[in-house]
mmCIF file of all heavy atoms in Angstrom:
data_model
loop_
_atom_site.group_PDB
_atom_site.id
_atom_site.type_symbol
_atom_site.label_atom_id
_atom_site.label_comp_id
_atom_site.label_asym_id
_atom_site.label_seq_id
_atom_site.Cartn_x
_atom_site.Cartn_y
_atom_site.Cartn_z
ATOM 1 N N ARG J 92 -80.291 59.689 105.436
ATOM 2 C CA ARG J 92 -80.459 61.147 105.415
ATOM 3 C C ARG J 92 -80.818 61.584 106.831
ATOM 4 O O ARG J 92 -81.968 61.794 107.181
ATOM 5 C CB ARG J 92 -81.573 61.535 104.439
ATOM 6 C CG ARG J 92 -81.689 63.051 104.233
ATOM 7 C CD ARG J 92 -80.979 63.532 103.028
ATOM 8 N NE ARG J 92 -81.092 64.968 102.819
ATOM 9 C CZ ARG J 92 -82.051 65.553 102.110
ATOM 10 N NH1 ARG J 92 -83.003 64.816 101.556
ATOM 11 N NH2 ARG J 92 -82.050 66.872 101.940
ATOM 12 N N LYS J 93 -79.804 61.706 107.654
ATOM 13 C CA LYS J 93 -79.997 62.092 109.050
ATOM 14 C C LYS J 93 -80.010 63.609 109.219
ATOM 15 O O LYS J 93 -80.547 64.133 110.209
ATOM 16 C CB LYS J 93 -78.922 61.468 109.924
ATOM 17 C CG LYS J 93 -79.031 59.950 110.018
ATOM 18 C CD LYS J 93 -77.986 59.363 110.926
ATOM 19 C CE LYS J 93 -78.251 57.903 111.238
ATOM 20 N NZ LYS J 93 -78.434 57.084 110.031
ATOM 21 N N GLU J 94 -79.372 64.288 108.293
ATOM 22 C CA GLU J 94 -79.366 65.748 108.302
ATOM 23 C C GLU J 94 -79.762 66.207 106.906
ATOM 24 O O GLU J 94 -79.485 65.506 105.925
ATOM 25 C CB GLU J 94 -77.974 66.299 108.618
ATOM 26 C CG GLU J 94 -77.372 65.821 109.904
ATOM 27 C CD GLU J 94 -75.891 66.150 109.925
ATOM 28 O OE1 GLU J 94 -75.116 65.468 109.237
ATOM 29 O OE2 GLU J 94 -75.516 67.116 110.620
ATOM 30 N N LYS J 95 -80.345 67.387 106.840
ATOM 31 C CA LYS J 95 -80.829 67.854 105.544
ATOM 32 C C LYS J 95 -79.697 68.060 104.552
ATOM 33 O O LYS J 95 -79.873 67.821 103.355
ATOM 34 C CB LYS J 95 -81.587 69.169 105.730
ATOM 35 C CG LYS J 95 -82.455 69.555 104.554
ATOM 36 C CD LYS J 95 -83.319 70.749 104.900
ATOM 37 C CE LYS J 95 -84.282 71.059 103.779
ATOM 38 N NZ LYS J 95 -85.151 72.224 104.118
ATOM 39 N N ARG J 96 -78.543 68.480 104.972
ATOM 40 C CA ARG J 96 -77.465 68.811 104.057
ATOM 41 C C ARG J 96 -76.677 67.597 103.568
ATOM 42 O O ARG J 96 -75.975 67.689 102.562
ATOM 43 C CB ARG J 96 -76.532 69.822 104.700
ATOM 44 C CG ARG J 96 -75.807 69.314 105.932
ATOM 45 C CD ARG J 96 -74.969 70.418 106.571
ATOM 46 N NE ARG J 96 -73.878 70.796 105.680
ATOM 47 C CZ ARG J 96 -73.667 72.064 105.282
ATOM 48 N NH1 ARG J 96 -74.458 73.028 105.673
ATOM 49 N NH2 ARG J 96 -72.647 72.344 104.499
ATOM 50 N N ASN J 97 -76.744 66.463 104.259
ATOM 51 C CA ASN J 97 -75.872 65.330 103.937
ATOM 52 C C ASN J 97 -76.650 64.111 103.451
ATOM 53 O O ASN J 97 -77.722 63.785 103.978
ATOM 54 C CB ASN J 97 -75.053 64.926 105.166
ATOM 55 C CG ASN J 97 -74.113 66.023 105.612
ATOM 56 O OD1 ASN J 97 -73.554 66.745 104.792
ATOM 57 N ND2 ASN J 97 -73.929 66.156 106.920
ATOM 58 N N PHE J 98 -76.053 63.417 102.493
ATOM 59 C CA PHE J 98 -76.719 62.247 101.916
ATOM 60 C C PHE J 98 -75.644 61.249 101.490
ATOM 61 O O PHE J 98 -75.323 61.120 100.311
ATOM 62 C CB PHE J 98 -77.581 62.681 100.732
ATOM 63 C CG PHE J 98 -78.505 61.624 100.194
ATOM 64 C CD1 PHE J 98 -79.271 60.839 101.032
ATOM 65 C CD2 PHE J 98 -78.632 61.434 98.818
ATOM 66 C CE1 PHE J 98 -80.139 59.876 100.531
ATOM 67 C CE2 PHE J 98 -79.499 60.483 98.307
ATOM 68 C CZ PHE J 98 -80.248 59.703 99.160
ATOM 69 N N PRO J 99 -75.067 60.515 102.423
ATOM 70 C CA PRO J 99 -73.991 59.583 102.074
ATOM 71 C C PRO J 99 -74.487 58.342 101.340
ATOM 72 O O PRO J 99 -75.589 57.862 101.588
ATOM 73 C CB PRO J 99 -73.409 59.206 103.447
ATOM 74 C CG PRO J 99 -74.536 59.426 104.407
ATOM 75 C CD PRO J 99 -75.336 60.569 103.868
ATOM 76 N N LEU J 100 -73.633 57.839 100.466
ATOM 77 C CA LEU J 100 -73.887 56.593 99.730
ATOM 78 C C LEU J 100 -72.964 55.526 100.300
ATOM 79 O O LEU J 100 -71.758 55.730 100.378
ATOM 80 C CB LEU J 100 -73.599 56.792 98.243
ATOM 81 C CG LEU J 100 -73.799 55.579 97.345
ATOM 82 C CD1 LEU J 100 -75.272 55.228 97.220
ATOM 83 C CD2 LEU J 100 -73.202 55.847 95.955
ATOM 84 N N ILE J 101 -73.548 54.404 100.685
ATOM 85 C CA ILE J 101 -72.805 53.336 101.349
ATOM 86 C C ILE J 101 -72.813 52.086 100.478
ATOM 87 O O ILE J 101 -73.879 51.652 100.027
ATOM 88 C CB ILE J 101 -73.429 53.025 102.725
ATOM 89 C CG1 ILE J 101 -73.469 54.292 103.583
ATOM 90 C CG2 ILE J 101 -72.662 51.906 103.435
ATOM 91 C CD1 ILE J 101 -74.505 54.262 104.672
ATOM 92 N N LEU J 102 -71.625 51.538 100.262
ATOM 93 C CA LEU J 102 -71.498 50.249 99.594
ATOM 94 C C LEU J 102 -70.980 49.272 100.634
ATOM 95 O O LEU J 102 -69.815 49.324 101.027
ATOM 96 C CB LEU J 102 -70.548 50.340 98.404
ATOM 97 C CG LEU J 102 -71.081 51.016 97.144
ATOM 98 C CD1 LEU J 102 -71.197 52.512 97.322
ATOM 99 C CD2 LEU J 102 -70.207 50.679 95.940
ATOM 100 N N GLU J 103 -71.864 48.418 101.125
ATOM 101 C CA GLU J 103 -71.512 47.514 102.236
ATOM 102 C C GLU J 103 -70.492 46.458 101.788
ATOM 103 O O GLU J 103 -69.578 46.124 102.527
ATOM 104 C CB GLU J 103 -72.767 46.821 102.760
ATOM 105 C CG GLU J 103 -73.801 47.740 103.378
ATOM 106 C CD GLU J 103 -73.703 47.776 104.898
ATOM 107 O OE1 GLU J 103 -72.934 46.972 105.460
ATOM 108 O OE2 GLU J 103 -74.384 48.608 105.524
ATOM 109 N N SER J 104 -70.658 45.946 100.591
ATOM 110 C CA SER J 104 -69.754 44.927 100.072
ATOM 111 C C SER J 104 -69.564 45.158 98.580
ATOM 112 O O SER J 104 -70.203 44.503 97.755
ATOM 113 C CB SER J 104 -70.309 43.525 100.346
ATOM 114 O OG SER J 104 -69.410 42.535 99.894
ATOM 115 N N PRO J 105 -68.703 46.100 98.230
ATOM 116 C CA PRO J 105 -68.561 46.477 96.820
ATOM 117 C C PRO J 105 -68.135 45.311 95.932
ATOM 118 O O PRO J 105 -67.373 44.431 96.363
ATOM 119 C CB PRO J 105 -67.479 47.553 96.852
ATOM 120 C CG PRO J 105 -67.450 48.039 98.260
ATOM 121 C CD PRO J 105 -67.839 46.866 99.110
ATOM 122 N N SER J 106 -68.614 45.349 94.699
ATOM 123 C CA SER J 106 -68.228 44.349 93.711
ATOM 124 C C SER J 106 -67.749 45.070 92.455
ATOM 125 O O SER J 106 -68.060 46.254 92.251
ATOM 126 C CB SER J 106 -69.405 43.437 93.381
ATOM 127 O OG SER J 106 -70.459 44.190 92.828
ATOM 128 N N PRO J 107 -66.998 44.378 91.597
ATOM 129 C CA PRO J 107 -66.456 45.038 90.396
ATOM 130 C C PRO J 107 -67.524 45.691 89.513
ATOM 131 O O PRO J 107 -67.221 46.690 88.844
ATOM 132 C CB PRO J 107 -65.729 43.899 89.681
ATOM 133 C CG PRO J 107 -65.295 42.992 90.790
ATOM 134 C CD PRO J 107 -66.417 43.029 91.783
ATOM 135 N N ASN J 108 -68.746 45.157 89.501
ATOM 136 C CA ASN J 108 -69.772 45.777 88.644
ATOM 137 C C ASN J 108 -70.281 47.117 89.208
ATOM 138 O O ASN J 108 -71.128 47.777 88.585
ATOM 139 C CB ASN J 108 -70.942 44.815 88.381
ATOM 140 C CG ASN J 108 -71.721 44.458 89.626
ATOM 141 O OD1 ASN J 108 -71.565 45.071 90.681
ATOM 142 N ND2 ASN J 108 -72.581 43.462 89.517
ATOM 143 N N GLN J 109 -69.771 47.517 90.349
ATOM 144 C CA GLN J 109 -70.086 48.837 90.881
ATOM 145 C C GLN J 109 -69.000 49.865 90.542
ATOM 146 O O GLN J 109 -69.079 51.018 90.975
ATOM 147 C CB GLN J 109 -70.308 48.768 92.388
ATOM 148 C CG GLN J 109 -71.564 47.973 92.743
ATOM 149 C CD GLN J 109 -71.786 47.841 94.235
ATOM 150 O OE1 GLN J 109 -70.956 47.262 94.955
ATOM 151 N NE2 GLN J 109 -72.880 48.405 94.708
ATOM 152 N N THR J 110 -68.031 49.437 89.766
ATOM 153 C CA THR J 110 -67.059 50.382 89.224
ATOM 154 C C THR J 110 -67.803 51.341 88.303
ATOM 155 O O THR J 110 -68.446 50.907 87.345
ATOM 156 C CB THR J 110 -65.963 49.637 88.452
ATOM 157 O OG1 THR J 110 -65.193 48.859 89.371
ATOM 158 C CG2 THR J 110 -65.061 50.609 87.708
ATOM 159 N N SER J 111 -67.727 52.636 88.598
ATOM 160 C CA SER J 111 -68.532 53.599 87.864
ATOM 161 C C SER J 111 -68.164 55.011 88.296
ATOM 162 O O SER J 111 -67.330 55.218 89.187
ATOM 163 C CB SER J 111 -70.028 53.348 88.121
ATOM 164 O OG SER J 111 -70.845 54.162 87.297
ATOM 165 N N LEU J 112 -68.802 55.973 87.664
ATOM 166 C CA LEU J 112 -68.700 57.381 88.050
ATOM 167 C C LEU J 112 -70.005 57.755 88.755
ATOM 168 O O LEU J 112 -71.090 57.576 88.184
ATOM 169 C CB LEU J 112 -68.481 58.246 86.817
ATOM 170 C CG LEU J 112 -68.360 59.748 87.008
ATOM 171 C CD1 LEU J 112 -67.210 60.096 87.950
ATOM 172 C CD2 LEU J 112 -68.148 60.424 85.655
ATOM 173 N N TYR J 113 -69.885 58.238 89.977
ATOM 174 C CA TYR J 113 -71.060 58.515 90.800
ATOM 175 C C TYR J 113 -71.250 60.014 90.986
ATOM 176 O O TYR J 113 -70.298 60.752 91.258
ATOM 177 C CB TYR J 113 -70.905 57.849 92.177
ATOM 178 C CG TYR J 113 -70.974 56.351 92.104
ATOM 179 C CD1 TYR J 113 -69.838 55.593 91.844
ATOM 180 C CD2 TYR J 113 -72.183 55.685 92.283
ATOM 181 C CE1 TYR J 113 -69.907 54.215 91.757
ATOM 182 C CE2 TYR J 113 -72.255 54.305 92.202
ATOM 183 C CZ TYR J 113 -71.115 53.584 91.932
ATOM 184 O OH TYR J 113 -71.189 52.218 91.842
ATOM 185 N N PHE J 114 -72.504 60.435 90.867
ATOM 186 C CA PHE J 114 -72.841 61.839 91.073
ATOM 187 C C PHE J 114 -73.936 61.967 92.118
ATOM 188 O O PHE J 114 -74.918 61.227 92.112
ATOM 189 C CB PHE J 114 -73.346 62.483 89.775
ATOM 190 C CG PHE J 114 -72.287 62.693 88.761
ATOM 191 C CD1 PHE J 114 -72.147 61.838 87.689
ATOM 192 C CD2 PHE J 114 -71.414 63.766 88.875
ATOM 193 C CE1 PHE J 114 -71.149 62.034 86.739
ATOM 194 C CE2 PHE J 114 -70.412 63.975 87.935
ATOM 195 C CZ PHE J 114 -70.286 63.104 86.867
ATOM 196 N N CYS J 115 -73.748 62.952 92.971
ATOM 197 C CA CYS J 115 -74.773 63.365 93.910
ATOM 198 C C CYS J 115 -75.424 64.631 93.365
ATOM 199 O O CYS J 115 -74.755 65.453 92.720
ATOM 200 C CB CYS J 115 -74.141 63.635 95.272
ATOM 201 S SG CYS J 115 -75.294 64.112 96.564
ATOM 202 N N ALA J 116 -76.707 64.792 93.610
ATOM 203 C CA ALA J 116 -77.408 65.984 93.135
ATOM 204 C C ALA J 116 -78.429 66.424 94.173
ATOM 205 O O ALA J 116 -78.892 65.617 94.986
ATOM 206 C CB ALA J 116 -78.105 65.706 91.799
ATOM 207 N N SER J 117 -78.789 67.695 94.124
ATOM 208 C CA SER J 117 -79.827 68.199 95.033
ATOM 209 C C SER J 117 -80.702 69.196 94.294
ATOM 210 O O SER J 117 -80.285 69.802 93.300
ATOM 211 C CB SER J 117 -79.202 68.842 96.279
ATOM 212 O OG SER J 117 -78.604 70.088 95.972
ATOM 213 N N TRP J 118 -81.922 69.339 94.788
ATOM 214 C CA TRP J 118 -82.849 70.317 94.208
ATOM 215 C C TRP J 118 -83.955 70.630 95.206
ATOM 216 O O TRP J 118 -84.144 69.925 96.183
ATOM 217 C CB TRP J 118 -83.413 69.841 92.870
ATOM 218 C CG TRP J 118 -84.343 68.671 92.895
ATOM 219 C CD1 TRP J 118 -85.705 68.680 92.838
ATOM 220 C CD2 TRP J 118 -83.972 67.283 92.947
ATOM 221 N NE1 TRP J 118 -86.207 67.409 92.860
ATOM 222 C CE2 TRP J 118 -85.182 66.539 92.920
ATOM 223 C CE3 TRP J 118 -82.755 66.591 93.003
ATOM 224 C CZ2 TRP J 118 -85.189 65.136 92.943
ATOM 225 C CZ3 TRP J 118 -82.765 65.201 93.030
ATOM 226 C CH2 TRP J 118 -83.954 64.488 93.018
ATOM 227 N N SER J 119 -84.699 71.693 94.928
ATOM 228 C CA SER J 119 -85.797 72.075 95.808
ATOM 229 C C SER J 119 -87.114 71.931 95.058
ATOM 230 O O SER J 119 -87.129 71.752 93.838
ATOM 231 C CB SER J 119 -85.627 73.498 96.308
ATOM 232 O OG SER J 119 -85.864 74.412 95.259
ATOM 233 N N ASP J 120 -88.196 71.998 95.768
ATOM 234 C CA ASP J 120 -89.499 71.781 95.137
ATOM 235 C C ASP J 120 -90.346 73.053 95.096
ATOM 236 O O ASP J 120 -91.530 72.980 94.866
ATOM 237 C CB ASP J 120 -90.273 70.672 95.844
ATOM 238 C CG ASP J 120 -90.651 71.062 97.274
ATOM 239 O OD1 ASP J 120 -90.226 72.129 97.751
ATOM 240 O OD2 ASP J 120 -91.369 70.285 97.917
ATOM 241 N N TRP J 121 -89.716 74.233 95.256
ATOM 242 C CA TRP J 121 -90.498 75.445 95.107
ATOM 243 C C TRP J 121 -90.672 75.727 93.612
ATOM 244 O O TRP J 121 -90.212 74.974 92.765
ATOM 245 C CB TRP J 121 -89.837 76.624 95.807
ATOM 246 C CG TRP J 121 -88.525 77.024 95.253
ATOM 247 C CD1 TRP J 121 -87.317 76.462 95.531
ATOM 248 C CD2 TRP J 121 -88.259 78.074 94.313
ATOM 249 N NE1 TRP J 121 -86.328 77.083 94.826
ATOM 250 C CE2 TRP J 121 -86.876 78.083 94.083
ATOM 251 C CE3 TRP J 121 -89.060 79.012 93.670
ATOM 252 C CZ2 TRP J 121 -86.281 79.000 93.213
ATOM 253 C CZ3 TRP J 121 -88.466 79.920 92.802
ATOM 254 C CH2 TRP J 121 -87.089 79.901 92.584
ATOM 255 N N ASP J 122 -91.342 76.783 93.268
ATOM 256 C CA ASP J 122 -91.597 77.146 91.868
ATOM 257 C C ASP J 122 -92.326 76.023 91.134
ATOM 258 O O ASP J 122 -92.010 75.679 90.005
ATOM 259 C CB ASP J 122 -90.297 77.497 91.139
ATOM 260 C CG ASP J 122 -90.577 78.152 89.775
ATOM 261 O OD1 ASP J 122 -91.670 78.723 89.606
ATOM 262 O OD2 ASP J 122 -89.708 78.061 88.895
ATOM 263 N N ARG J 123 -93.276 75.421 91.812
ATOM 264 C CA ARG J 123 -94.120 74.369 91.229
ATOM 265 C C ARG J 123 -93.302 73.230 90.631
ATOM 266 O O ARG J 123 -93.695 72.605 89.653
ATOM 267 C CB ARG J 123 -95.061 74.962 90.185
ATOM 268 C CG ARG J 123 -96.051 75.949 90.787
ATOM 269 C CD ARG J 123 -96.944 76.597 89.719
ATOM 270 N NE ARG J 123 -96.181 77.467 88.845
ATOM 271 C CZ ARG J 123 -96.076 77.280 87.538
ATOM 272 N NH1 ARG J 123 -96.653 76.244 86.963
ATOM 273 N NH2 ARG J 123 -95.381 78.122 86.794
ATOM 274 N N GLY J 124 -92.148 72.989 91.180
ATOM 275 C CA GLY J 124 -91.371 71.830 90.758
ATOM 276 C C GLY J 124 -90.575 72.011 89.482
ATOM 277 O O GLY J 124 -90.083 71.043 88.918
ATOM 278 N N HIS J 125 -90.411 73.229 89.013
ATOM 279 C CA HIS J 125 -89.708 73.426 87.754
ATOM 280 C C HIS J 125 -88.216 73.652 87.926
ATOM 281 O O HIS J 125 -87.555 74.134 87.015
ATOM 282 C CB HIS J 125 -90.294 74.632 87.023
ATOM 283 C CG HIS J 125 -91.716 74.411 86.575
ATOM 284 N ND1 HIS J 125 -92.115 73.307 85.871
ATOM 285 C CD2 HIS J 125 -92.812 75.165 86.751
ATOM 286 C CE1 HIS J 125 -93.411 73.394 85.630
ATOM 287 N NE2 HIS J 125 -93.863 74.491 86.143
ATOM 288 N N ASN J 126 -87.703 73.297 89.079
ATOM 289 C CA ASN J 126 -86.310 73.619 89.342
ATOM 290 C C ASN J 126 -85.356 72.534 88.875
ATOM 291 O O ASN J 126 -85.663 71.352 88.907
ATOM 292 C CB ASN J 126 -86.110 73.835 90.833
ATOM 293 C CG ASN J 126 -86.894 75.012 91.314
ATOM 294 O OD1 ASN J 126 -86.633 76.140 90.936
ATOM 295 N ND2 ASN J 126 -87.880 74.745 92.134
ATOM 296 N N GLU J 127 -84.177 73.007 88.482
ATOM 297 C CA GLU J 127 -83.155 72.079 88.016
ATOM 298 C C GLU J 127 -82.431 71.456 89.178
ATOM 299 O O GLU J 127 -82.518 71.916 90.310
ATOM 300 C CB GLU J 127 -82.154 72.822 87.126
ATOM 301 C CG GLU J 127 -81.260 73.807 87.876
ATOM 302 C CD GLU J 127 -81.859 75.193 87.935
ATOM 303 O OE1 GLU J 127 -83.101 75.315 87.824
ATOM 304 O OE2 GLU J 127 -81.075 76.147 88.098
ATOM 305 N N GLN J 128 -81.683 70.393 88.893
ATOM 306 C CA GLN J 128 -80.808 69.777 89.865
ATOM 307 C C GLN J 128 -79.439 70.445 89.839
ATOM 308 O O GLN J 128 -78.990 70.912 88.796
ATOM 309 C CB GLN J 128 -80.624 68.292 89.561
ATOM 310 C CG GLN J 128 -81.870 67.470 89.773
ATOM 311 C CD GLN J 128 -81.579 66.014 89.562
ATOM 312 O OE1 GLN J 128 -81.332 65.269 90.492
ATOM 313 N NE2 GLN J 128 -81.607 65.589 88.322
ATOM 314 N N PHE J 129 -78.784 70.408 90.987
ATOM 315 C CA PHE J 129 -77.400 70.861 91.099
ATOM 316 C C PHE J 129 -76.562 69.616 91.393
ATOM 317 O O PHE J 129 -76.881 68.848 92.298
ATOM 318 C CB PHE J 129 -77.257 71.881 92.217
ATOM 319 C CG PHE J 129 -77.959 73.172 91.920
ATOM 320 C CD1 PHE J 129 -79.313 73.301 92.134
ATOM 321 C CD2 PHE J 129 -77.251 74.257 91.407
ATOM 322 C CE1 PHE J 129 -79.975 74.490 91.853
ATOM 323 C CE2 PHE J 129 -77.904 75.447 91.135
ATOM 324 C CZ PHE J 129 -79.264 75.564 91.348
ATOM 325 N N PHE J 130 -75.479 69.472 90.632
ATOM 326 C CA PHE J 130 -74.680 68.259 90.725
ATOM 327 C C PHE J 130 -73.347 68.502 91.424
ATOM 328 O O PHE J 130 -72.740 69.580 91.294
ATOM 329 C CB PHE J 130 -74.396 67.719 89.324
ATOM 330 C CG PHE J 130 -75.561 67.006 88.717
ATOM 331 C CD1 PHE J 130 -76.545 67.716 88.059
ATOM 332 C CD2 PHE J 130 -75.671 65.632 88.811
ATOM 333 C CE1 PHE J 130 -77.633 67.065 87.498
ATOM 334 C CE2 PHE J 130 -76.753 64.973 88.256
ATOM 335 C CZ PHE J 130 -77.731 65.692 87.597
ATOM 336 N N GLY J 131 -72.901 67.469 92.114
ATOM 337 C CA GLY J 131 -71.553 67.456 92.626
ATOM 338 C C GLY J 131 -70.562 67.156 91.519
ATOM 339 O O GLY J 131 -70.954 66.853 90.387
ATOM 340 N N PRO J 132 -69.253 67.186 91.820
ATOM 341 C CA PRO J 132 -68.218 67.010 90.799
ATOM 342 C C PRO J 132 -67.995 65.560 90.392
ATOM 343 O O PRO J 132 -67.297 65.302 89.412
ATOM 344 C CB PRO J 132 -66.960 67.566 91.473
ATOM 345 C CG PRO J 132 -67.214 67.344 92.929
ATOM 346 C CD PRO J 132 -68.679 67.529 93.122
ATOM 347 N N GLY J 133 -68.570 64.629 91.115
ATOM 348 C CA GLY J 133 -68.430 63.221 90.762
ATOM 349 C C GLY J 133 -67.374 62.498 91.579
ATOM 350 O O GLY J 133 -66.397 63.105 92.042
ATOM 351 N N THR J 134 -67.585 61.198 91.743
ATOM 352 C CA THR J 134 -66.625 60.307 92.411
ATOM 353 C C THR J 134 -66.360 59.131 91.491
ATOM 354 O O THR J 134 -67.276 58.407 91.128
ATOM 355 C CB THR J 134 -67.182 59.804 93.754
ATOM 356 O OG1 THR J 134 -67.348 60.903 94.645
ATOM 357 C CG2 THR J 134 -66.249 58.767 94.377
ATOM 358 N N ARG J 135 -65.097 58.988 91.099
ATOM 359 C CA ARG J 135 -64.709 57.874 90.237
ATOM 360 C C ARG J 135 -64.312 56.701 91.124
ATOM 361 O O ARG J 135 -63.312 56.756 91.815
ATOM 362 C CB ARG J 135 -63.549 58.294 89.346
ATOM 363 C CG ARG J 135 -62.945 57.189 88.518
ATOM 364 C CD ARG J 135 -63.722 56.859 87.299
ATOM 365 N NE ARG J 135 -63.853 57.935 86.351
ATOM 366 C CZ ARG J 135 -64.582 57.845 85.245
ATOM 367 N NH1 ARG J 135 -65.255 56.735 84.987
ATOM 368 N NH2 ARG J 135 -64.646 58.850 84.411
ATOM 369 N N LEU J 136 -65.126 55.635 91.109
ATOM 370 C CA LEU J 136 -64.887 54.462 91.949
ATOM 371 C C LEU J 136 -64.446 53.284 91.103
ATOM 372 O O LEU J 136 -65.077 52.965 90.090
ATOM 373 C CB LEU J 136 -66.168 54.088 92.709
ATOM 374 C CG LEU J 136 -66.129 52.773 93.489
ATOM 375 C CD1 LEU J 136 -65.111 52.851 94.620
ATOM 376 C CD2 LEU J 136 -67.504 52.402 94.030
ATOM 377 N N THR J 137 -63.380 52.658 91.527
ATOM 378 C CA THR J 137 -62.898 51.423 90.906
ATOM 379 C C THR J 137 -62.863 50.344 91.968
ATOM 380 O O THR J 137 -62.240 50.523 93.021
ATOM 381 C CB THR J 137 -61.498 51.604 90.307
ATOM 382 O OG1 THR J 137 -61.529 52.651 89.335
ATOM 383 C CG2 THR J 137 -61.030 50.310 89.637
ATOM 384 N N VAL J 138 -63.545 49.234 91.684
ATOM 385 C CA VAL J 138 -63.559 48.092 92.603
ATOM 386 C C VAL J 138 -62.805 46.939 91.941
ATOM 387 O O VAL J 138 -63.202 46.460 90.873
ATOM 388 C CB VAL J 138 -64.990 47.659 92.953
ATOM 389 C CG1 VAL J 138 -64.962 46.519 93.972
ATOM 390 C CG2 VAL J 138 -65.796 48.825 93.493
#
Side-chain angles (χ1 to χ4, degrees):
Chain J
R92 187 97 180 270
K93 293 182 169 53
E94 304 166 285
K95 196 172 185 179
R96 64 184 293 125
N97 296 324
F98 190 45
L100 179 70
I101 303 157
L102 284 73
E103 296 262 352
S104 182
S106 61
N108 65 12
Q109 293 178 298
T110 293
S111 187
L112 180 58
Y113 291 87
F114 289 101
C115 182
S117 72
W118 68 100
S119 72
D120 66 354
W121 64 277
D122 192 24
R123 296 177 292 119
H125 294 309
N126 296 294
E127 70 269 24
Q128 292 185 96
F129 292 82
F130 283 84
T134 296
R135 173 79 62 184
L136 172 65
T137 301
V138 183

